[in-house]
Every structure is written in structure tokens, then in C-alpha cells.
Amino acid sequence: MTERPEMYRYHNGEKAVLPFAPQEYDARLAGLRRAMAEIGVDAVVMTSMHNIAYYSGFLYCAFGRPYGLVVTASEDVTISAGIDAGQPWRRCHGDNITYTDWQRDNYWRAVRSVAGQGRVIGYEGDHLTLLQRSKLEAFLSPSRMVDMHEVTMRQRMHKSVAELALIREGARVADVGGYAIREAVKAGARELDIAMAGRDAMEAEIAHSFPDAEYRDTWVWFQSGLNTDGAHNPVTGRALARGDILSLNTFPMISGYYTALERTMFVQEVDPASLKIWQANVAAHEYGMSLLKPGASCAEVTGQINAFFEERDLLQYRTFGYGHSFGVLSHYYGREAGLELREDIDTMLEPGMVISMEPMLTIADGQPGAGGYREHDILIITEDGNENITGYPYGPEFNVVG
């Protein structure tokens, strides 16, 4: 009978061109290792899509299987399932071990082969499930466990020059999708068909600009009428009608990096009540962008925009925070929660951070001006202010269409 191994190295083919140069990943790992040394962590076992992608370049497809990246003082090894064959090795910076399905928990045996036993182990408290934590403890027998999720998040919040270049490209591609959607809007068209026009334009542009990339996860939420009331409402088959409020949302994904364009629109005409709300939200958007500069805290910016809306008797229509960080994240993985424009976040803005400004007001169905109004720009914090990298225009002059 053929002996079936618990794990093996399947280095099939040549290494692929990753989103960033090897020096970029080396710098990220060096930053992590400095933090490990300061805290006294011997090995970090990362399990999330965002951290594995950030430190190795590999963006996994779990499909119910666990994946990992183990970082020690001298090694960085991705752990992947046999179903992926050599792709994880080709698409990662560093080494890769493939675990087999022949017996349960070969994943943790592979992790143990790098992390060792009886050591101080770092983990991601915002991602590791109770089940997998119990297995980590059983297989690694750590002398101590240290939650590293905030340490890694803080590192991801500060973008390198290479990351900023990629994010700028993402913002440009989001604009491409926005213009494609604008051209597709007309009375009688379905949300679905308009969304597909934007998505197809972005995917073609990403493939043109990043010929060595993997293509996945780019999407559009295009909402109309009542469906605009929530920022994350899925696309439907609803047909547009004259006078409908619209919400354009394009999300190009480039090697795990998320960017976005979000705009309020109307089909052919906008009524006076809606125009008044729209203009007030645009004014808040412009005011909010003016506040994003080094030394400002997220909570302070939020409080100032709150006061702006309260003076206009509109604060009760706000439904969520005013902006968030960008980087390795998507609608199903990653979040840099330390850089969000909310009342409970006291992070100070610093050069090299990237943040959105996206005020939203939702007026209930049946009320004058009913619908959801949202504008969204991406801003890089600079030494003396910010750089707005979103180009698609906002406001009534450009966005009454069809």
C-alpha cells in the first residue's frame, strides 16, 4: 500500500510575478518580526485572508479548508491544501507546505512543523475560531499565546509607496467602471444589466493594466429606488424609471486590494425635495474631505460632520460612519477597524494613511426625498493635507443621467 504523507512541498513551475516586489514583502515581514521581538513572540500563525495576502502575496480560496502563514524569526511559510497543487507556492513570497486530506488535522501538523511546540505563539484573535484555537493549543502546546491582530492591523494601516501606487490604480479603475455605468443608465434598464456593464469595464481595465495578476472578486452594487436605502444592498432585476434615485458603487479588486467609487445619481430628473437632501449630503462630503489632514483624530472628524448635519436637522438620517481605511480587504475579508471615521475611534491621521469620505443619508420610503444618498472619495493623507485620488465627478450637475 502506498504511504500517504501528512504534508509535502509541491513547488510546481516557476514563481509567478506577485503584486509587489520581493523587497516589499521583506519589508513587511521585517516590520512584523520587529514587533514579535518586542513582544516576545516566537512564531505567528496567521489564518486570515488579509494577513496571509499582506505578508506573502497569496490570496487563498478556502472552500471550507484552513490555510495559514507561519512566520518565525527566520522562516515565512504558507500552509495550503492539496487541492490547490502548486498555485499557492507560485503565488507566495517565501516557502510553501502542502498538507494532505488523508487524515484529519494534517493542517495543524504542517503548522507545527514550522512553528514548533512549547513556544510563544501569536495568533489573530479576530479570525481564529474557537474550534481552531483548541486545535492550535493541542498541536503546538504553546507556553503562551499572544493576540497579534491589532499589531498587524496597525502595520497594514500605514501604506508603503508601492501600496499607494496600486491603490491609485484601483481608484482609476473604479472611475472607469463609473463612466461605463453612467453610459448604461436609462429608463427601463435593469439594475443587473447596468451593474454588469460596470464590472466588465473594470475587469477588462485591470487585465490591461495588470497582465500578470489573478483576476477575481471585482464587483458592482448598482441600486435604484427603495433599494438605495442600504449601502450594501445587493443588485436586483428592478427596471429603472424616470425620476428614480440611483446609487452607483464600483469595487475593483486588484490582488486583494480594495478600492471604491460611490455616487448618488438620478434618472433624467430630480425632484426639489430630493435635490435638497442631495445637495446637503454633497456639502457634508466636501466639508468632511477638508477635515482629513495629519493630526486630526477620527472621532474629532466624525463629531464635526455630525454637527454639520445636526445644524441642518439631518443627523437622524445618518446610518453609519463617515469613512474607512483601504488596503487588503473586501466585502468578505479584512477590515482595518482602527482607521474608521466613527465616534469611538481616536486614531490620529498620519501621512501615508488612506481613508474614504462617504457620508450617507437615508430618507424612509414614502417621505419627501426618499432614498439613500451617498458620495465616496478616496483620500491619501499627505504631510500637509490630503490627495483625492477619485476622479469621477459628484453632484447633480453630472449625475442626472439617462
Side-chain angles (χ1 to χ4, degrees):
M1 181 177 177
T2 302
E3 183 178 344
R4 294 175 167 181
E6 298 171 343
M7 69 196 80
Y8 56 92
R9 283 174 166 83
Y10 189 58
H11 295 177
N12 190 38
E14 300 297 323
K15 283 280 193 180
V17 177
L18 296 182
F20 300 101
Q23 294 85 348
E24 173 77 10
Y25 294 106
D26 287 338
R28 296 177 186 185
L29 289 163
L32 176 61
R33 286 175 173 133
R34 283 193 296 271
M36 292 166 60
E38 291 171 4
I39 300 168
V41 170
D42 298 313
V44 176
V45 178
M46 283 178 276
T47 51
S48 70
M49 295 184 74
H50 43 280
N51 266 340
I52 293 173
Y54 180 78
Y55 291 106
S56 79
F58 171 51
L59 190 65
Y60 67 70
C61 174
F63 241 115
R65 293 176 172 87
Y67 285 72
L69 170 65
V70 183
V71 177
T72 68
S74 59
E75 293 184 280
D76 51 291
V77 184
T78 51
I79 311 295
S80 60
I83 194 170
D84 292 324
Q87 184 262 2
W89 178 78
R90 294 193 298 273
R91 288 281 174 181
C92 81
H93 175 79
D95 199 3
N96 170 264
I97 293 175
T98 297
Y99 72 90
T100 66
D101 285 346
W102 311 138
Q103 61 180 336
R104 192 174 301 277
D105 295 326
N106 278 346
Y107 167 80
W108 284 107
R109 295 181 179 92
V111 169
R112 183 176 60 194
S113 73
V114 183
Q117 287 184 294
R119 309 180 77 193
V120 180
I121 300 296
Y123 67 101
E124 295 177 80
D126 62 341
H127 186 267
L128 191 68
T129 65
L130 293 174
L131 174 65
Q132 295 296 357
R133 179 184 172 118
S134 69
K135 293 188 176 187
L136 183 157
E137 292 172 338
F139 280 86
L140 304 188
S141 303
S143 61
R144 182 165 59 95
M145 292 182 63
V146 179
D147 188 353
M148 297 289 287
H149 93 267
E150 186 161 345
V151 171
T152 55
M153 178 192 70
R154 296 285 174 186
Q155 185 177 355
R156 297 196 315 272
M157 279 164 43
H158 294 84
K159 311 306 176 193
S160 68
V161 171
E163 285 182 288
L164 293 177
L166 183 63
I167 291 168
R168 284 190 180 92
E169 274 294 279
R172 182 186 66 80
V173 173
D175 288 344
V176 168
Y179 286 112
I181 285 174
R182 188 176 189 272
E183 290 298 313
V185 170
K186 61 180 182 293
R190 298 183 303 174
E191 289 181 9
L192 175 64
D193 298 309
I194 296 167
M196 288 192 293
R199 183 202 63 205
D200 290 352
M202 290 191 293
E203 292 199 337
E205 184 62 27
I206 294 170
H208 172 74
S209 300
F210 297 88
D212 297 313
E214 295 176 313
Y215 309 114
R216 56 188 286 188
D217 299 332
T218 291
W219 87 101
V220 168
W221 283 324
F222 182 80
Q223 302 136 346
S224 64
L226 180 61
N227 199 31
T228 64
D229 68 342
H232 298 165
N233 294 357
V235 170
T236 75
R238 182 184 184 277
L240 276 55
R242 184 181 183 89
D244 272 349
I245 185 172
L246 309 174
S247 188
L248 177 161
N249 309 269
T250 63
F251 306 104
M253 295 296 299
I254 304 173
S255 299
Y257 276 74
Y258 165 96
T259 46
L261 167 72
E262 301 172 13
R263 290 289 184 257
T264 303
M265 308 173 81
F266 275 78
V267 180
Q268 299 176 334
E269 65 181 11
V270 53
D271 64 275
S274 297
L275 181 61
K276 183 177 179 181
I277 300 296
W278 191 4
Q279 289 173 329
N281 201 55
V282 165
H285 181 59
E286 293 177 336
Y287 176 58
M289 289 191 290
S290 75
L291 301 174
L292 299 178
K293 58 188 66 175
S297 82
C298 293
E300 289 171 354
V301 171
T302 301
Q304 289 172 283
I305 304 173
N306 281 347
F308 183 94
F309 276 139
E310 195 162 30
E311 289 170 2
R312 291 154 181 79
D313 195 28
L314 293 171
L315 184 59
Q316 66 269 31
Y317 302 121
R318 172 197 162 194
T319 55
F320 58 92
Y322 294 118
H324 58 80
S325 184
F326 288 83
V328 183
L329 56 95
S330 181
H331 59 301
Y332 64 98
Y333 61 85
R335 180 173 183 173
E336 295 173 8
L339 187 54
E340 296 186 357
L341 298 176
R342 296 173 17 159
E343 290 87 346
D344 59 344
I345 304 294
D346 58 6
T347 302
M348 306 291 284
L349 299 181
E350 299 176 17
M353 290 179 171
V354 184
I355 194 166
S356 63
M357 176 51 61
E358 50 178 306
M360 180 173 182
L361 299 174
T362 298
I363 311 299
D365 193 37
Q367 301 299 311
Y373 300 76
R374 186 170 71 263
E375 315 298 339
H376 176 296
D377 286 48
I378 302 172
L379 302 106
I380 297 172
I381 304 302
T382 61
E383 294 294 334
D384 56 2
N386 65 64
E387 175 192 354
N388 189 338
I389 60 174
T390 296
Y392 184 98
Y394 55 79
E397 290 186 6
F398 191 75
N399 290 300
V400 179
V401 298

